[in-house]
Amino acid sequence: MPDEDAARGLPAGLDSAVVQRALLAWYRRTARDLPWRRDPDPYRVWVSETMLQQTQVDRVRGAFVAFLEAFPTVGALAAADTEAVLRAWEGLGYYRRARQLQAAARVVMEEHGGQLPDSEVKLRRLPGIGRYTAAAILSIAHDRPVPIVEANSRRVLARLVGHDRPVGTAAGDEPLWEVAAGLVPRRRAGSFNQALMDLGATVCTPRQPLCGRCPLAGCCAAHATGRRDAIPAPLPRRAVIERRETALVVVHRGRVLVRRCQAGEWWEGLWDFPRLPAADLVAPLSLGRRREIGRFHYTVTHHRIDLRVVSCSAMRAGPRAGRGVAKRAWVDARALEELPLTSPGRRVARLVPALLGPGRV
Ligand code: SF4
């Protein structure tokens, strides 16, 4: 439909009907068997798409199944204890997504009778639901002809039309949203969008795309002009900031001290071991001699942290939790297992069982 396609803003030579037919036929043959695809109701699509933002599919598979077992409905998620939600999110990272998911579930229960809305405007008013997630819910769960652009489909679309400017920002992606809108079919939009994502994940990969196996090779501008490795152009990288920190494992009568990360910290709501100096936490405890028990590196956004882990014993437990000290707790090894910990906190926790017991610190 070249005339219609030109009116929809597609470049000359790109026929939406050809792309749709090729991609949907390829998807029928090769669609990945992913747990959220078996029954794509709005809640399952929403949870899976939220998990898939910034987390690899292989990690999400198991976490999704466990999360849906723990919180099978919007109502169950809304009513759950936030710590249980954060615990179920462990391993996926970016915990803000979990907090927003639950906050949105509560709004859905209070304002939408427990049903996720089926309009883009209402969906995007919910915490954590942006343009992409709303489009995924509408197209996959409701088969609405709504385009999507995310990490994988962005690359396919950019190469398909030869878009050689940097992408990955709202402004940079805007031309690709227009291309996606011009391509999405009126029916089977959900399959088409998932096919685009699958193609980007398995064939049109960032490096060495498998053009010989690509159903769109015949209409791909990057392939035709030999620019597949140059598209999409990378965004300028942020400089990495190196930091050194010390985590303190304080032991007192078979328990260790943990603190809850506060609003404005990276892992708000999760538990972690105190990081030095932590004067407010450790000053009242009469600490013994410190010794190093481990050291590792981890990365958060563009920060690379060199974390030294030291342990020591405490003569006193300090004041009881209450005003001013509610963010800390003494926990034994079993409670530590159950606690939603930061990812470095979980690594430090693996050192704890060897410390508990008389005379170990
Ligand atoms: S032909 Fe190659 S570069 Fe073009 S969409 Fe297919 S895999 Fe990607």
Side-chain angles (χ1 to χ4, degrees):
M1 293 174 281
D3 290 346
E4 220 176 287
D5 288 340
R8 294 166 97 184
L10 291 181
L14 189 62
D15 184 330
S16 63
V18 170
V19 172
Q20 292 163 9
R21 259 197 313 275
L23 205 51
L24 286 169
W26 175 81
Y27 188 64
R28 269 193 296 276
R29 292 194 307 275
T30 63
R32 290 179 292 175
D33 180 24
L34 300 171
W36 47 90
R37 288 184 174 171
R38 288 171 206 152
D39 177 16
D41 71 24
Y43 177 61
R44 291 166 62 89
V45 173
W46 175 37
V47 171
S48 62
E49 292 300 335
T50 305
M51 288 182 168
L52 287 163
Q53 293 163 20
Q54 299 157 308
T55 305
Q56 302 284 332
V57 166
D58 285 342
R59 270 191 175 186
V60 171
R61 277 178 203 265
F64 174 81
V65 172
F67 195 89
L68 264 287
E69 272 171 23
F71 316 111
T73 61
V74 180
L77 178 59
D81 187 84
T82 300
E83 288 216 347
V85 177
L86 295 174
R87 183 73 174 94
W89 204 263
E90 257 195 54
L92 296 172
Y94 298 95
Y95 287 85
R96 186 158 179 261
R97 294 177 296 171
R99 281 190 295 274
Q100 288 186 321
L101 199 62
Q102 190 184 38
R106 289 176 174 164
V107 176
V108 170
M109 295 309 291
E110 284 163 19
E111 297 179 12
H112 300 285
Q115 301 292 320
L116 265 177
D118 63 355
S119 88
E120 182 182 350
V121 171
K122 289 182 180 170
L123 279 169
R124 290 183 65 179
R125 283 198 197 121
L126 296 172
I129 296 191
R131 186 178 188 180
Y132 166 71
T133 308
I137 293 168
L138 292 172
S139 65
I140 298 171
H142 299 287
D143 204 24
R144 300 267 181 80
V146 180
I148 55 145
V149 174
E150 47 69 72
N152 286 314
S153 52
R154 174 190 294 132
R155 185 168 54 254
V156 177
L157 293 167
R159 285 172 173 166
L160 197 57
V161 299
H163 178 85
D164 49 14
R165 275 159 285 151
V167 294
T169 61
D173 285 354
E174 196 51 45
L176 300 181
W177 279 97
E178 285 168 24
V179 173
L183 290 176
V184 69
R186 294 202 180 92
R187 282 196 297 271
R188 303 200 61 211
S191 296
F192 180 83
N193 285 342
Q194 291 178 95
L196 266 182
M197 293 190 274
D198 274 16
L199 191 72
T202 62
V203 175
C204 192
T205 46
R207 275 177 291 281
Q208 300 183 318
L210 307 170
C211 301
R213 286 168 40 189
C214 178
L216 305 183
C219 50
C220 173
H223 180 55
T225 56
R227 290 180 296 151
R228 58 180 209 181
D229 294 326
I231 297 176
L235 282 172
R237 278 182 169 269
R238 283 176 90 175
V240 174
I241 297 173
E242 305 269 359
R243 276 178 31 185
R244 284 186 175 187
E245 294 191 4
T246 302
L248 190 59
V249 182
V250 185
V251 180
H252 179 69
R253 296 186 177 169
R255 295 180 302 164
V256 292
L257 183 67
V258 287
R259 68 174 289 273
R260 196 202 289 263
C261 300
Q262 301 300 290
E265 295 184 36
W266 272 327
W267 285 290
E268 177 187 343
L270 297 182
W271 292 83
D272 196 12
F273 291 85
R275 303 288 172 100
L276 289 177
D280 58 328
L281 287 178
V282 299
L285 308 180
S286 292
L287 298 183
R289 200 166 54 85
R290 293 172 194 171
R291 91 182 155 87
E292 183 168 320
I293 57 168
R295 186 170 187 166
F296 58 87
H297 293 87
Y298 65 93
T299 303
V300 184
T301 64
H302 60 296
H303 295 79
R304 187 164 187 273
I305 317 293
D306 173 359
L307 187 69
R308 198 170 146 251
V309 186
V310 299
S311 71
C312 63
S313 58
M315 297 292 287
R316 290 194 285 274
R320 285 176 176 278
R323 284 188 68 183
V325 288
K327 62 181 181 182
R328 44 149 266 186
W330 289 99
V331 293
D332 61 19
R334 177 177 292 211
L336 197 57
E337 277 278 308
E338 301 294 318
L339 217 52
L341 288 175
T342 67
S343 51
R346 182 63 65 203
R347 290 175 73 176
V348 175
R350 292 191 196 113
L351 305 169
V352 167
L355 293 174
L356 298 182
R360 300 278 176 85
V361 177

